[in-house]
Amino acid sequence: MPHEAILTELDRRREAARSMGGEEKLDRRRERGQLNAKERLEALIDEGSFYETGLLGRSAFSAQTAEKSPRDGKITGFGKIDGRDVGVVVNDFTTMGASTGATNSKKMGYIRKTCTEKGLPFVHIGESTGARLPDAMGSRGMGTMLGNDTTQFRRMRDTPWVAAALDTSFGSSAWMCCCADFAVMKKGSIMSVSSPRLVSMAIGEKVDMEELGGWRLHAEQTGLIDHFVDTDAEAMEAIRRFLSYMPSHNGALSPTAAVTEGSGEDQERILDILPETRTRVYNMKKIIEVIFDTGSIFELKPRFGKSAVVALARLDGKVVGVVANNPQVGGGALSAEACRKIIDFTVLCDSFNIPIVRLMDTPGFVVGTDAERRGAPGHIMNFMNATCLTTVPQVTVICRKAYGRAYVAMGGGAHNDTMIAWPTAEVSFMDPVFATNIVHNRAPGDEGFEEALAEIQKDLEIWDMATIFSAHDVIKPQETRESLIRILDIHQQRRTGGIGQHLMRTWPTSY
């Protein structure tokens, strides 16, 4: 065949592949305000940086399905985000509902494999219906579609994985969110194992979409999603922002940025936020905003386990992970959900060489019958295990309350490189009111309670701990930022170039 003819045929096939599901389906998406796969890709990566692989891939099930499956429903390739290469899979819902088939499974596997081997972040933009029927039916379908890639769901945290759940996200779109280090979901979307229709048939009753897998479920109950947005464009921006804190792989350090204007100014504001009365609550998030670089706080799972705060941030331009108690919610007591959130974040930071700063103000763990039913003892021990396995530089700041086992789990004692405290810190095995009741059998309002409480409280203050050098220093709250900058500079890992041991690299991303 002459060169001109065969090259024309290539152009025809390329054009057909790029047509996605056709103009009619694309128009309907535009009318609903939904970005299509190509538009999502363009919003995600740097302009002109995309190198596509698998453009001509189609379903191999039959000639009929091949004809209606351009790209086999998934755009795959490599692009740049802020000048750094990433591997990308973007589902095209206009093509067979972006259902998973044999060809597109190979395309996705190639991207993941390349990312792992070459040290690139992997990004999956999900909107899909699940496994493609009838391709997956029968023994031939199962033998072709499932179980052939032993690395598909093996997370060793070699590189950051990021996923989005947009609109209808069943099957692989849900799997990727659960495997990811960062998952973002658009409000109004649904993320679940299977569609409401299939679930309704399986259990014999009608299922509400929001109850099955709506954003509030995942924000407040499952904790499977880290960040929530209103639009597709915001989802792509959230992914870009998350990756700005991450190294490209676990053998590298996160990029350093210029210190934002206003950072470090007016540290005295901490004293305005922190109550002088020990029983008054306050919002720890406001203190975090004062200490770390202006505009750099990127909080994860804000509506899940709300008595704890976890966030990526910058301190003097360098990336750090922030773990804090928030007394404004439950007095800062750590629930099972708060433990899960902190563990997940600790594993993320340790796996990708991000130093951890802990701000402690907690009366302990949430107790009671409900806590036991939620598996509190197991979560507390997982928390302890994660704290003990952390190998990145870590600094603990005791702001106020530090009671019991929670003191240790939050990086107290020797579970840090440096532990500093504010003069407002109080450290003991339990809250003095409870201790007074147990030791002296007196409750608030009882005769002699105040005297007994004063006796219990006399050893709470931080001075004794500083005297025996269990606290390395006592500082004023307004000195915290400069102290942290200097401490982390001292404890940077010079022998390994800042790379940790990654002892938790195989910890489950969802448990």
Side-chain angles (χ1 to χ4, degrees), residues 20 37-38 41 50 52 71 73-77 88-90:
M20 296 190 280
K38 179 175 178 291
L41 179 66
F50 189 57
E52 185 167 1
R71 286 175 165 136
K74 300 184 190 292
I75 302 175
T76 58
V88 183
V89 173
V90 185

Side-chain angles (χ1 to χ4, degrees), residues 215-275:
W215 76 271
R216 286 185 179 84
L217 173 76
H218 295 305
E220 299 169 1
Q221 297 182 48
T222 72
L224 293 176
I225 301 292
D226 299 291
H227 192 75
F228 299 88
V229 296
D230 294 314
T231 66
D232 288 347
E234 289 175 353
M236 301 306 111
E237 179 54 36
I239 291 172
R240 290 178 63 94
R241 186 175 182 195
F242 174 79
L243 287 176
S244 74
Y245 296 93
M246 291 289 109
S248 292
H249 54 83
N250 65 2
L253 299 180
S254 300
T256 299
V259 180
T260 49
E261 186 177 351
S263 298
E265 294 180 359
D266 194 14
Q267 293 294 297
E268 298 288 335
R269 278 196 297 137
I270 296 176
L271 299 180
D272 297 329
I273 300 167
L274 186 70

Side-chain angles (χ1 to χ4, degrees), residues 219-220 281-285 288 299-311 322-342 359-367 374 383 401 406 410:
E220 299 169 1
V281 301
Y282 63 96
N283 190 349
M284 181 66 84
K285 294 181 185 182
I288 292 171
E299 186 180 358
L300 306 181
K301 303 188 195 301
R303 296 176 63 151
F304 181 75
K306 292 189 290 185
S307 62
V309 178
V310 300
V322 182
V323 176
N325 308 114
N326 192 2
Q328 196 173 48
V329 180
L334 290 160
S335 63
E337 292 79 9
C339 292
R340 284 178 52 198
K341 180 163 76 169
I342 294 174
L359 301 173
M360 192 190 313
D361 187 350
T362 178
F365 295 103
V366 173
V367 296
R374 293 172 183 266
F383 192 171
K401 297 178 182 178
M410 281 293 297

